[in-house]
Amino acid sequence: MTTTLAPPVRVGKAAVGALGMLAAATGSLESVVTPTLPLLQRELSISPAQGALLSITMLITGALVTPVAGNLGDRYGGKRVMLRLMAVVSAGGLVSALAPNLPVLLLGQVLEGAMVGAMPLSFILVRKHLPSGESQVAIGVVSGLFVGGGMLGTLMAGPIAEGLSRHWMFALPTLAIVVATLLVHRLMPNDPPARSDARIDWPGLALLSGILLTLMLGLSMAPELGSRPLALGALVVLLALLVTGWISVERRSPSPMVDLRLVTEPAIWSSYAITFAVCVGTAVSMFLVPQLFAVSADGYGFGAGATDIGRYLLPGAVAGAVSGPLGGAAARRFGSTAVVAAGIGIMTATLIGLAFLHTEVWHLVVGKALVALASGVCITAMVVKTATSVDHGHTGTATSLVLVTRVIGFAAGAQVSGAFLAAGTRPGAEDPVESAFVTGFLIAGAVTALSLLAVRTLRKGAKE
């Protein structure tokens, strides 16, 4: 049964600004761990392996929570679910800020991972309270501010941790999240639930969580699985069983976690395929470019230190931050399909160009910035296209799966890049051979180009 929705209340720029502020604050909190891992390892007396676990904990939680948050937002209202989700995130930030040891900090990161679910909830709200054209731009603004907040967190985490303490690098973004959540509560009107009488599909939820957890576990172990065929086989069998069971449960459920008819729509599955391919290509460049900067200047590299690498990557971070609003505005003006095709073309040309042209610092700086800009525009256009290709009652579920696909694509690209560099490093050598980077960039370009095959199916979705 579907409830009858009252006409939506029109919201102003202040309400959208509150959502943007919340996105920026959550992006900042999400990004503080990675640049300060050496400091955390030293102060908490943890090993590099434990540091690696700390760096992916939030990613795993986000992949599990996001589709659940999107689905619950569709059922019970985006604002209602968002406020509860932000309470969990704020508690996680407080736990991380006060953590005296690794187990407590891991608990805080698990709770903080719920923040990724705020993105599809924001998309539900702007789509319900804004006209189609304005909602596309608002989606881009919220996405861009999340990336911009991540850039700010990356730049400020180190100085805050060294100047004040590691506790404050968690506490300050958490305080900003609390303030932004209060503003959202005050400025954003309630959105009526679309399916308030539907029951939660607990078996489907458990199986979907198992699928995502198995995928993330497999990707995190990818470099070791080649030498452990039994472990690889066990993961493949487990994944196949979980997927089979999930499909069976969702087909029979009167209120499925994910409506499989939705996923089989051409405009939807093609959005997920394109998102995965684009994120794999982006992740390869994100991993390879800093590594190439760090290669000894006696060979083909530049011998750059951490400070110099951060400075070289700053233009790319800025490009990624502006790509969200640009992608939303371009999708409104030219249509998502045209924007995605153009972005894929620019990404493919840039990645192939980097394979053959990487002898100067500016080659890599410009290439990384172009990839970040094109990728961000593509992903934003994909979110817009997915949101406008489904009815309002499925906005959160459909867009949350785009974000989960994005996480899996980034994880896969990073692991593939690491495998290429490991295979290209000769025994006793510190740096991989140059051909490993060339091969990585070429494969990233090829994977990105293949996504053009799915672009035509985007036109089969709902009219934008």
Side-chain angles (χ1 to χ4, degrees), residues 154-178:
T154 300
L155 293 175
M156 297 302 296
I160 290 174
E162 293 176 347
L164 298 174
S165 72
R166 62 177 172 85
H167 306 286
W168 283 103
M169 74 179 189
F170 295 108
L172 293 178
T174 301
L175 178 61
I177 287 175
V178 172

Side-chain angles (χ1 to χ4, degrees), residues 22 97 177 201 231 258 267 346 350 387 428 446:
L22 182 60
I177 287 175
D201 175 22
V258 176
I346 293 172
T350 303

